[in-house]
């Protein structure tokens, strides 16, 4: 009984280990990052029960799901791999915008199953990767025409293997459904040359699909047409009702669409029946076979009949010489569309880093600097040493000043709270009691007194209070009040005494300002002297490099570059000292200026309150 259980447990552990190993297998260590992309055609995603088959899946990348900074600037390091972590999938990039962090990539997924979940992997992060395969490799052999209308140099470029580039295509319209699109006005036809466009063979299967966005609803507006004598194939929109027409026979009608929205229209011909799909669902039908058509096709016009052309935008026009299954059409409509279902159908997972991660950009730069430093001369090392000393001294002083200013700010806030209570009545500080003056007329803990002494405002207050107390000892007057028959003390200060006290306060402020600005000169030395020290090291290094070249007679890049790079490292060191010192000095100067302004304001307030209280 126990033995079978142990065997089952061992098999289970082996299966789990195998599954884990398969899930974590890395396709190529040169690619540092990967993402899992899930395609879900079950009820959890978007339920598609009909067959799909091999299809080009649109993968939308944006900054919410993809780190553009980790990929090459043109996206050429992107690779898509099947879930076996071995099979490389064909893909091409329709649009890559590293500035707006937006990309549209088409990936060929073979034999996509309905009502199932399929996973593929996106690898990127290889700066040395070569460009991928051309766009035509993404589409299987039955695809005979693909217009993305996204190429800025030629919007009508055919991305299929046929190479039937359209003629007379206007520049692509930006901000279309998928990257660029085609904005048409029903005036001039856009020709699709034949050959290379293959013949529509009589009775043969055929699929023509496109995304349309009508700007106005017109009668019998032609989206795509191909006419050869009496034979004709037309895909159009009649007052908002999509239709397919074969030799003047038109498909059944459904509910009209509104102007201003994107819709997927597809006509699928197979075994004498043409089915018209709208947004991935069956919309109409026509019992007729495709006639023989060998002539060039037209977009937005049917010149021979003189029918009105479609007005609006067209995107992703595709033709296939096969009858695409209903699941294929449904998948394309959801995957390429704008509905919320597209994010349920295709989900992009988080980044996964390789165990064999390559050096990051910062590490690469540090490695280069280390290599450059090997070619530094002795003079360069002396300069870098001096710059390092300047930087260390500057940072120590800056850290001390920031902590000192923070303490001052905290102490001044506490002092001002107490000053506001006694500023209207200065009797609390004209006493001869030194403790009463220190405590600002109240009671204060030893810890609070220690903090207060850090405030320049408190120091000015204490200085002024002492001056008042000293003068009160000398000038305190006594008068007799006959009514109450007792003596009264009259407190007064002359104008000259008030001016003298004000001068003492200004003297105290100057000393406080000197304390605030103390040692900042080392920062100014770093700002002014750092670049000059660096320049000195660079000049000496360049001189020595050219002197060595002159003696050796070897004038090559490999002999010049290391010495010049090493010499320039001295300038980098000087700037590395000066730039942070400049920012810190500006910050400290601003804060010191605020402290000085507070002291000047306090002196004016103190003298004013003193003059009001001790009248002459």
């Amino acid at each position: 009984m126990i033995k079978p259980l142990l065997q089952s447990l061992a098999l289970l552990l082996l299966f789990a280990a195998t599954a884990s190993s398969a899930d974590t297998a890395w396709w190529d260590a040169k690619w540092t990052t990967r993402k899992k992309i899930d395609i879900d055609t079950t009820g959890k995603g978007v339920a598609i029960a009909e067959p799909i088959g091999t299809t080009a899946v649109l993968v939308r990348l944006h900054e919410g799901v993809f780190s553009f900074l980790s990929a090459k600037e043109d996206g050429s390091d992107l690779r898509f791999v099947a879930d076996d972590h071995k099979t490389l999938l064909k893909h091409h990039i329709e649009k890559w915008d590293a500035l707006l962090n937006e990309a549209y990539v088409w990936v060929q997924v073979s034999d996509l199953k309905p009502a199932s979940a399929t996973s593929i992997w996106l690898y990127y992060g290889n700066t040395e990767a070569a460009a991928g395969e051309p766009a035509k490799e993404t589409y299987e052999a039955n695809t005979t025409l693909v217009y993305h209308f996204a190429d800025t140099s030629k919007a009508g470029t055919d991305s299929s293997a046929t190479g039937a580039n359209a003629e007379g295509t206007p520049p692509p319209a930006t901000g279309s459904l998928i990257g660029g699109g085609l904005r048409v006005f029903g005036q001039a036809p856009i020709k699709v040359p034949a050959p290379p466009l293959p013949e529509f063979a009589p009775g043969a299967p055929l699929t023509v699909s496109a995304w349309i966005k009508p700007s106005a609803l017109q009668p019998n507006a032609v989206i795509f047409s191909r006419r050869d004598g009496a034979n004709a194939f037309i895909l159009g929109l009649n007052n908002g009702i999509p239709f397919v027409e074969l030799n003047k026979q038109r498909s059944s009608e459904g509910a009209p669409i509104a102007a201003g929205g994107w819709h997927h229209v597809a006509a699928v011909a197979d075994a004498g029946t043409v089915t018209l799909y709208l947004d991935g669902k069956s919309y109409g039908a026509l019992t007729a076979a495709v006639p023989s058509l060998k002539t060039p096709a037209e977009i937005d016009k049917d010149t021979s009949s003189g029918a009105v052309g479609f007005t609006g935008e067209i995107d992703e026009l595709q033709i296939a010489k096969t009858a695409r299954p209903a699941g294929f059409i449904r998948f394309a409509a959801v995957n390429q569309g704008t509905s919320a279902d597209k994010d349920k159908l295709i989900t992009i997972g988080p980044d996964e880093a390789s165990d064999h991660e390559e050096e990051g950009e910062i590490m690469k730069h540090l490695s280069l600097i280390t290599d450059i430093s090997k070619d530094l001369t002795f003079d360069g090392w002396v300069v870098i040493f001096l710059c390092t000393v300047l930087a260390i001294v500057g940072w120590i002083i800056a850290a001390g000043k920031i902590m000192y200013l923070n303490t001052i700010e905290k102490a001044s806030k506490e002092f001002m709270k107490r000053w506001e209570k006694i500023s209207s009545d200065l009797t609390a500080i004209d006493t001869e009691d030194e403790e009463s003056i220190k405590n600002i007329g109240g009671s204060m803990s030893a810890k609070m007194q220690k903090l207060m002494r850090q405030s320049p405002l408190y120091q000015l207050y204490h200085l002024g209070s002492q001056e008042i107390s000293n003068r009160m000892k000398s000038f305190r007057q006594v008068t007799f009040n006959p009514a109450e028959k007792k003596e009264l003390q009259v407190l007064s200060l002359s104008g000259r005494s008030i001016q003298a006290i004000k001068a003492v306060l200004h003297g105290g402020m100057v000393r406080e300002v000197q304390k605030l600005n103390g040692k900042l000169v080392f920062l100014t030395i770093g700002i002014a002297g750092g670049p000059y020290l660096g320049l000195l090291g660079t000049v000496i290094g360049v001189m020595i490099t050219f002197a060595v070249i002159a003696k050796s007679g070897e004038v090559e890049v490999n002999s010049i570059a290391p010495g010049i790079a090493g010499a320039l490292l001295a300038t980098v060191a000087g700037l590395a000292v000066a730039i942070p010192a400049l920012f810190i000095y500006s910050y400290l100067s601003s804060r010191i200026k605020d402290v000085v302004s507070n002291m000047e304001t306090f002196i004016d307030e103190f003298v004013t309150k003193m003059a009001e209280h001790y009248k002459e």
Side-chain angles (χ1 to χ4, degrees), residues 414-427:
E414 291 296 329
F415 168 76
M416 289 305 295
K417 290 178 183 177
R418 287 165 170 75
W419 169 250
E420 288 172 1
K421 295 179 181 178
I422 67 163
S423 60
S424 58
D425 181 12
L426 298 183
T427 54

Side-chain angles (χ1 to χ4, degrees), residues 238-385:
N238 181 27
N239 292 321
I241 300 174
F243 69 86
V244 58
E245 184 179 296
L246 297 180
N247 296 344
K248 299 184 179 181
Q249 297 181 68
R250 187 169 290 192
S251 59
S252 56
E253 296 185 353
I257 62 174
W262 283 103
H263 295 276
H264 185 257
V265 180
V268 180
D270 187 30
T273 301
V274 181
T275 305
L276 185 65
Y277 293 87
L278 177 64
D279 296 328
K281 299 177 181 179
S282 179
Y283 178 83
L286 170 64
T287 303
V290 174
S292 174
L293 298 168
K294 300 179 181 179
T295 55
E298 292 182 339
I299 301 171
D300 189 41
K301 203 74 173 173
D302 182 16
T303 307
S304 299
S305 67
V308 65
F310 173 78
T311 300
E313 292 183 51
I314 302 174
D315 203 356
E316 292 305 321
L317 175 62
Q318 298 189 14
I319 300 176
K321 59 181 180 180
T322 186
R324 298 296 190 190
F328 183 101
I329 302 298
R330 171 70 173 152
F331 184 90
V334 176
N335 174 224
Q336 301 167 24
T338 58
S339 69
D341 285 344
K342 72 179 188 301
D343 297 321
K344 298 178 184 178
L345 183 64
I346 308 288
T347 56
I348 301 177
D351 280 347
E352 296 182 15
S354 169
D355 294 335
H356 310 282
E357 191 171 356
E358 290 186 339
E359 282 186 324
E361 288 300 316
I362 295 176
M363 292 304 299
K364 287 181 180 179
H365 290 171
L366 290 175
S367 178
L368 283 173
I369 291 173
T370 302
D371 293 339
I372 292 170
S373 65
K374 295 175 182 177
D375 296 297
L376 263 177
T377 60
F378 175 76
D379 311 82
W381 280 115
V382 170
V383 168
I384 289 178
F385 172 76

